[in-house]
Amino acid sequence: MNEMEIPTVADLVAKGERPDVLFWVGCAGSYDDRYKNVTKAFVKILNKVKINFAVLGPEETCTGDPARRAGNEFLFQMQAMANIQVLDGYEIKKIVTACPHCFNTLKNEYPELGGNYEVVHHSQFLQELINEGKVELKGGGEFKGKKITYHDSCFLGRANDVYSAPREVLEALDAELVEMKRCRTKGLCCGAGGAQMFKDAEAGDKEINIERTEEALATNADTIAVACPFCMTMMSDGVKNKEKEESVKVKDLAELIAEHEGL
Amino acid sequence: MQYLPQIIFLVVAGFFGFLILKRIKQISDNIKLGKAANLSDNKSERLRIMLLVAFGQKKMFKRPIPAFLHLLIYLGFILINIEVLEIVIDGFFGTHRIFAPYLGTFYTFLINFFEVLALGVLISCVFFLIRRNILRVGRFHKVEMKGWPTLDANLILIIEILLMVAILGMNGADQVLQTRGVDHYTVTGIFSISASMFPFLNFVDTSNLILIERGAWWFHIVGIFAFALYVTHSKHLHIFMAFPNTYYGRLIPKGQMINMEEITNEVKIMLGMPVEGEATPPPEGMKFGAKDVNDLSWKNLMDAYACTECGRCTSECPANLTGKKLSPRKIMMDTRDRLEEVGKNGLEDGKSLLGDYITKEEINACTNCNACTEACPININPLDIILQTRRYVAMEESGSPASWNAMFQNIETNFAPWKFGAQDRFNWANELKEEQ
């Protein structure tokens, strides 16, 4: 196998080149042990289909989303302006990210601060690759006859109306896609949005991720597919709490595709 | 004495008309306490959404059974008003069924049609009372519904039932009087629903029958005037507010937070970036975020008056579903209750929306998942109010939860919300290369 290419934009620019698309890794994708695997899986796919991509590497910083949602508008705008300076400095036109929170912020909230880019979520990017035949899923294989349920990320679904792309990616795997009772526009949150990821929940009689995990387990799916780092953490914790981690896997879309491709 | 009923009618109509106009002025003044927000763009798109969501009730049909019953009441409300127009004209001019001679058999058809609608309204209201009080649908019995909100809901349904009984009773008595050839009672043909009352009404003598007919007529029209006034003080105001509320709703993606432009200039100065135009410091005494109703936009306040407390938002809220104190419906009710209080006592009464009505525990529990805004049949946005109050807590009070303050600090120092070093951000790439 060829050497894995993970160019930074700075590398490319030094060589007088530019990436067609910037992969915005996000903080979870960079630091979270579980989600780093998603980053790696996505980079493997990008390499396999020879996408001219790059990452910001050490130059990437938090989009500011958690600060903004927790009320700290100053900090959000500081982060956003600094990021826009970097992105514009490199004349970035198109961004793909595996984090719906980064996706929402870059796509919807940066334009008002002067940052205008074409932003896609990796589920949309993967769907495009499949539709264009760049990623060919032969069907059969290890997913044949397996049940997968998809947990909608709120920041992808309701916040941005992306419901079909992740489902089409899963359907291409030839697995049986089973829906939870609350799905699409009625999907139940994993409990981590709106900066909840960064604090304990308020007093109540149940954790939200347990409620959601119970619903996912009720589908009897072998795999709970997610498309968001926070959903990944919350659903994985939920499955562990229910002591089902041996029989039920929580996987990101990119991981499922990479596995299927033997990457 | 011949003109006495007309005079009484004029006085009653004037009395309620005056009070209703006064109340509309009060509501409009209260909404104007909100901050400016320019929502006059994209008129055709706004009109389209209003027609679809408010007039067409599109979002109601996510729950088909209540949607159907609600539709019957809605159609009844709109169409029976044509008959109310006749009643008002009769009241002013001392006529009786003034449209009948002009419309002939079409009049008979119309009244028959209205009677079917009236029966539909009546049956729906009975169903709704059963759902609320006997089947006890969960969302109607949350803590914020204790007391007045529950009474308000039941009163609305009972008043509507009484008004429909009056209209049917009036028509029933009228028809028997027609058969007896009593003066003034124009012959109209049979009204099928109220005709079912003949077996009872036939036994009543003419003078008592006139009493029933007139009594029902007066009860119905005075009831409608009084109900119209009541509506302006009640959650039932949604029948009017749904229209402007959907018209002025958000056109941007649900995930997008409204930008605070007043901060943008300061941030640019701090980062040494060029500032467009004259760099003006924020005005003296400007607050960041919302502490009280006047810190919210007028649209947030309009939302509060439009809410009919159906609780679909709360029943889909992940925080509320898992026993947290947050209820998006309560956010809207609190905003309206505080706004009403401010309208009466002014802003300087030592109270505020955040603190005296909405607590930090509630706003902190929100996951920004937009289930509430998606669920609302008339596009009310409780999330926007939650986010603005969070801004006040974070930027004016530095009162966010300790772990959020730690997260802010991490972003400031490591450029990531977790306590990882910025130099380690790209480690995953080396790991991947080694794994290969």
Side-chain angles (χ1 to χ4, degrees), chain B residues 38-57:
Chain B
N38 185 5
L39 302 173
S40 58
D41 57 333
N42 290 301
K43 292 195 167 59
S44 60
E45 174 65 2
R46 292 183 179 283
L47 192 66
R48 194 185 67 84
I49 293 173
M50 184 181 84
L51 289 174
L52 214 60
V53 177
F55 191 73
Q57 307 198 354

Side-chain angles (χ1 to χ4, degrees), chain A:
Chain A
M1 185 160 189
N2 293 334
E3 170 81 0
M4 186 67 63
E5 299 271 359
I6 315 170
T8 62
V9 186
D11 292 340
L12 290 190
V13 169
K15 287 194 279 178
E17 295 169 23
R18 294 208 183 275
D20 294 335
V21 57
L22 172 79
F23 173 29
W24 183 276
V25 181
C27 299
S30 303
Y31 294 113
D32 180 271
D33 276 334
R34 178 68 190 83
Y35 218 67
K36 272 198 273 187
N37 202 48
V38 176
T39 305
K40 292 171 188 172
F42 190 59
V43 166
K44 285 178 195 171
I45 297 168
L46 293 175
N47 265 273
K48 164 107 194 285
V49 295
K50 300 193 166 54
I51 300 286
N52 173 24
F53 80 101
V55 295
L56 282 174
E59 285 186 277
E60 192 185 286
T61 72
C62 174
T63 59
D65 160 82
R68 183 172 231 196
R69 259 115 205 122
N72 195 334
E73 182 76 6
F74 268 109
L75 185 52
F76 162 71
Q77 292 203 11
M78 293 285 284
Q79 285 301 116
M81 300 276 200
N83 282 324
I84 290 168
Q85 278 187 321
V86 172
L87 292 167
D88 285 353
Y90 287 133
E91 294 174 31
I92 297 297
K93 301 275 179 289
K94 183 173 179 178
I95 302 175
V96 60
T97 177
C99 172
H101 298 264
C102 296
F103 166 71
N104 178 65
T105 304
L106 292 166
K107 178 174 177 285
N108 298 324
E109 300 183 348
Y110 276 27
E112 278 185 302
L113 299 169
N116 291 287
Y117 320 100
E118 182 196 346
V119 186
V120 294
H121 184 250
H122 78 317
S123 62
Q124 299 169 309
F125 196 84
L126 290 170
Q127 186 209 358
E128 244 174 75
L129 291 179
I130 293 169
N131 289 352
E132 289 168 2
K134 288 184 182 157
V135 170
E136 268 188 84
L137 300 166
K138 285 166 266 325
E142 59 177 312
F143 292 103
K144 178 112 188 132
K146 291 260 174 96
K147 278 187 182 174
I148 298 184
T149 189
Y150 173 67
H151 163 78
D152 283 286
S153 147
C154 306
F155 276 72
L156 205 54
R158 277 186 295 266
N160 287 293
D161 288 320
V162 180
Y163 297 108
S164 61
R167 287 179 168 80
E168 283 177 34
V169 170
L170 291 171
E171 275 163 2
L173 288 170
D174 208 19
E176 187 192 343
L177 181 62
V178 283
E179 293 288 358
M180 286 182 250
K181 206 173 148 224
R182 286 172 282 197
C183 62
R184 294 176 185 267
T185 56
K186 295 194 107 184
L188 181 72
C189 175
C190 71
Q196 297 301 329
M197 188 69 199
F198 305 97
K199 72 167 186 45
D200 289 329
E202 275 59 37
D205 32 58
K206 198 174 190 179
E207 292 291 340
I208 296 170
N209 66 326
I210 302 298
E211 170 83 11
R212 186 54 165 172
T213 304
E214 285 169 359
E215 197 173 358
L217 294 176
T219 63
N220 287 319
D222 311 287
T223 304
I224 301 170
V226 294
C228 166
F230 301 159
C231 299
M232 172 72 87
T233 303
M234 299 307 271
M235 298 307 283
S236 302
D237 286 354
V239 170
K240 256 179 233 150
N241 180 284
K242 294 277 159 190
E243 297 179 350
K244 291 278 185 201
E245 66 265 42
E246 291 303 320
S247 53
V248 178
K249 301 289 171 211
V250 183
K251 290 273 171 74
D252 175 81
L253 301 172
E255 291 178 311
L256 292 169
I257 300 285
E259 265 176 47
H260 186 276
E261 296 286 284
L263 297 172

Side-chain angles (χ1 to χ4, degrees), chain B residues 213-225:
Chain B
E213 194 278 331
R214 284 291 87 193
W217 188 93
W218 278 99
F219 181 86
H220 180 246
I221 193 63
V222 176
I224 282 179
F225 288 151

Side-chain angles (χ1 to χ4, degrees), chain B residues 401-430:
Chain B
S403 8
W404 275 357
N405 284 331
M407 178 261 286
F408 298 152
Q409 211 169 19
N410 287 333
I411 295 178
E412 281 164 16
T413 51
N414 315 323
F415 309 115
W418 292 287
K419 219 177 174 69
F420 293 112
Q423 71 282 357
D424 295 329
R425 182 176 278 272
F426 202 32
N427 288 357
W428 63 268
N430 290 331

Side-chain angles (χ1 to χ4, degrees), chain B residues 335-348:
Chain B
T335 304
R336 185 198 54 213
D337 292 350
R338 172 60 185 158
L339 186 54
E340 281 286 296
E341 186 179 57
V342 167
K344 287 191 189 86
N345 307 335
L347 282 157
E348 307 301 327

Side-chain angles (χ1 to χ4, degrees), chain B residues 123-411:
Chain B
I123 292 169
S124 296
C125 288
V126 171
F127 264 110
F128 279 154
L129 278 173
I130 292 170
R131 271 175 88 239
R132 256 177 204 274
N133 301 294
I134 299 171
L135 301 176
R136 292 184 72 83
V137 171
R139 62 190 155 101
F140 298 136
H141 299 278
K142 298 267 176 185
V143 282
E144 67 267 22
M145 296 306 285
K146 289 224 159 67
W148 167 244
T150 295
L151 179 63
D152 186 19
N154 284 326
L155 276 176
I156 292 160
L157 293 168
I158 291 165
I159 293 169
E160 284 178 357
I161 289 172
L162 290 177
L163 289 175
M164 293 307 115
V165 168
I167 210 169
L168 293 173
M170 173 185 97
N171 285 350
D174 195 302
Q175 288 169 88
V176 178
L177 289 167
Q178 289 174 30
T179 58
R180 293 183 192 170
V182 180
D183 254 5
H184 297 303
Y185 288 92
T186 324
V187 177
T188 57
I190 296 295
F191 308 144
S192 49
I193 308 275
S194 56
S196 61
M197 288 185 246
F198 287 175
F200 309 102
L201 295 171
N202 274 333
F203 290 108
V204 183
D205 64 51
T206 300
S207 61
N208 277 328
L209 212 48
I210 293 176
L211 209 63
I212 290 175
E213 194 278 331
R214 284 291 87 193
W217 188 93
W218 278 99
F219 181 86
H220 180 246
I221 193 63
V222 176
I224 282 179
F225 288 151
F227 189 51
L229 176 63
Y230 176 86
V231 164
T232 64
H233 289 272
S234 147
K235 78 185 190 85
H236 207 52
L237 192 54
H238 81 290
I239 58 176
F240 301 112
M241 298 301 283
F243 294 89
N245 198 63
T246 47
Y247 182 86
Y248 290 113
R250 276 165 74 101
L251 302 177
I252 54 176
K254 284 196 172 69
Q256 183 179 338
M257 268 178 79
I258 310 247
N259 194 50
M260 288 182 76
E261 274 177 69
E262 58 269 40
I263 282 180
T264 309
N265 269 349
E266 274 194 55
V267 171
K268 281 185 174 168
I269 294 165
M270 284 165 78
L271 291 172
M273 292 164 72
V275 180
E276 279 165 41
E278 198 77 5
T280 45
E284 197 72 22
M286 193 194 80
K287 255 185 274 178
F288 292 122
K291 185 183 195 214
D292 212 342
V293 284
N294 61 322
D295 302 321
L296 297 167
S297 81
W298 63 264
K299 178 58 174 64
N300 296 135
L301 305 182
M302 181 182 265
D303 273 1
Y305 276 120
C307 175
T308 195
E309 301 167 11
C310 73
R312 287 168 186 230
C313 52
T314 294
S315 74
E316 309 248 332
C317 171
N320 193 276
L321 279 170
T322 52
K324 279 92 182 170
K325 286 207 174 116
L326 173 62
S327 161
R329 169 173 56 191
K330 179 177 173 292
I331 300 286
M332 301 319 301
M333 293 166 72
D334 284 345
T335 304
R336 185 198 54 213
D337 292 350
R338 172 60 185 158
L339 186 54
E340 281 286 296
E341 186 179 57
V342 167
K344 287 191 189 86
N345 307 335
L347 282 157
E348 307 301 327
D349 61 351
K351 290 201 226 167
S352 60
L353 176 64
L354 180 65
D356 294 295
Y357 287 83
I358 300 172
T359 61
K360 283 191 209 172
E361 184 177 344
E362 292 165 61
I363 60 168
N364 287 346
C366 172
T367 68
N368 292 204
C369 76
N370 270 301
C372 57
T373 61
E374 179 71 39
C376 180
I378 54 170
N379 293 348
I380 291 171
N381 193 334
L383 175 56
D384 196 31
I385 297 177
I386 293 171
L387 290 170
Q388 291 180 72
T389 50
R390 276 189 183 180
R391 280 173 169 167
Y392 181 84
V393 174
M395 293 189 285
E396 293 285 347
E397 294 185 327
S398 301
S400 301
S403 8
W404 275 357
N405 284 331
M407 178 261 286
F408 298 152
Q409 211 169 19
N410 287 333
I411 295 178

